[in-house]
Coordinates of all heavy atoms in Angstrom, one line a residue:
Q219 N 91.8 284.6 230.8 CA 91.7 283.4 231.5 C 90.3 283.3 232.2 O 90.0 282.4 233.0 CB 92.7 283.3 232.7 CG 94.2 283.1 232.2 CD 95.2 283.3 233.3 OE1 95.9 284.2 233.4 NE2 95.2 282.3 234.2
F250 N 99.7 282.4 232.9 CA 100.3 282.3 234.3 C 99.7 283.2 235.3 O 100.4 283.5 236.3 CB 101.9 282.5 234.2 CG 102.5 281.8 233.0 CD1 103.1 282.6 232.0 CD2 102.4 280.5 232.8 CE1 103.6 281.9 230.8 CE2 102.9 279.8 231.7 CZ 103.5 280.6 230.7
G251 N 98.5 283.7 235.0 CA 97.9 284.6 236.0 C 97.7 286.0 235.4 O 96.8 286.7 235.9
L254 N 94.0 286.8 234.2 CA 92.9 286.6 235.1 C 92.0 287.8 235.2 O 90.8 287.7 235.1 CB 93.4 286.2 236.5 CG 94.0 284.8 236.6 CD1 94.8 284.6 237.9 CD2 93.0 283.7 236.5
Y357 N 98.1 287.8 240.7 CA 98.5 286.4 240.8 C 99.5 286.0 239.8 O 99.3 286.3 238.6 CB 97.3 285.5 240.7 CG 96.2 285.8 241.7 CD1 95.0 286.5 241.2 CD2 96.3 285.6 243.0 CE1 94.0 286.8 242.1 CE2 95.3 285.9 243.9 CZ 94.2 286.5 243.5 OH 93.2 286.9 244.3
M358 N 100.6 285.3 240.2 CA 101.5 284.7 239.2 C 101.8 283.3 239.7 O 102.2 283.1 240.9 CB 102.8 285.5 239.1 CG 103.8 284.9 238.1 SD 105.0 286.1 237.7 CE 106.2 285.0 236.9
R359 N 101.6 282.3 238.9 CA 101.7 280.9 239.3 C 102.1 280.6 240.7 O 103.2 280.9 241.1 CB 102.6 280.2 238.3 CG 102.2 280.3 236.9 CD 100.7 280.0 236.7 NE 100.4 278.6 236.4 CZ 99.2 278.1 236.5 NH1 98.2 278.8 236.9 NH2 99.0 276.8 236.1
P361 N 100.7 281.8 243.4 CA 100.8 283.1 244.0 C 100.8 283.0 245.6 O 99.9 282.4 246.1 CB 99.6 283.8 243.5 CG 98.6 282.8 243.1 CD 99.5 281.6 242.6
M476 N 94.6 277.9 228.9 CA 95.8 278.7 228.7 C 97.0 277.8 228.3 O 98.1 278.3 228.2 CB 96.1 279.6 229.8 CG 96.5 278.9 231.1 SD 97.0 280.1 232.3 CE 96.3 279.5 233.8
H514 N 90.3 280.5 234.8 CA 91.2 279.4 234.5 C 92.4 279.7 235.4 O 93.4 280.3 234.9 CB 91.5 279.4 233.0 CG 92.3 278.1 232.6 ND1 91.9 276.9 233.1 CD2 93.3 278.0 231.8 CE1 92.8 276.0 232.5 NE2 93.6 276.6 231.8
G515 N 92.4 279.4 236.6 CA 93.4 279.8 237.6 C 93.2 279.0 238.9 O 92.3 278.3 239.0
G516 N 94.1 279.3 239.8 CA 93.9 278.7 241.1 C 94.0 277.2 241.1 O 93.6 276.5 242.1
E715 N 99.6 275.0 239.8 CA 100.5 275.9 240.6 C 101.5 275.2 241.5 O 102.6 275.7 241.7 CB 99.7 276.9 241.4 CG 98.3 277.1 240.9 CD 98.0 278.5 240.4 OE1 98.8 279.4 240.6 OE2 96.9 278.7 239.9
Ligands
MOS9 MO1 96.9 281.3 238.2 S1 98.3 282.5 239.1 O1 95.6 281.4 239.2 O2 96.8 281.7 236.6

Side-chain angles (χ1 to χ4, degrees):
Q219 291 172 251
F250 318 117
L254 289 165
Y357 304 106
M358 179 167 168
R359 299 317 266 166
M476 65 174 140
H514 192 45
E715 335 245 356

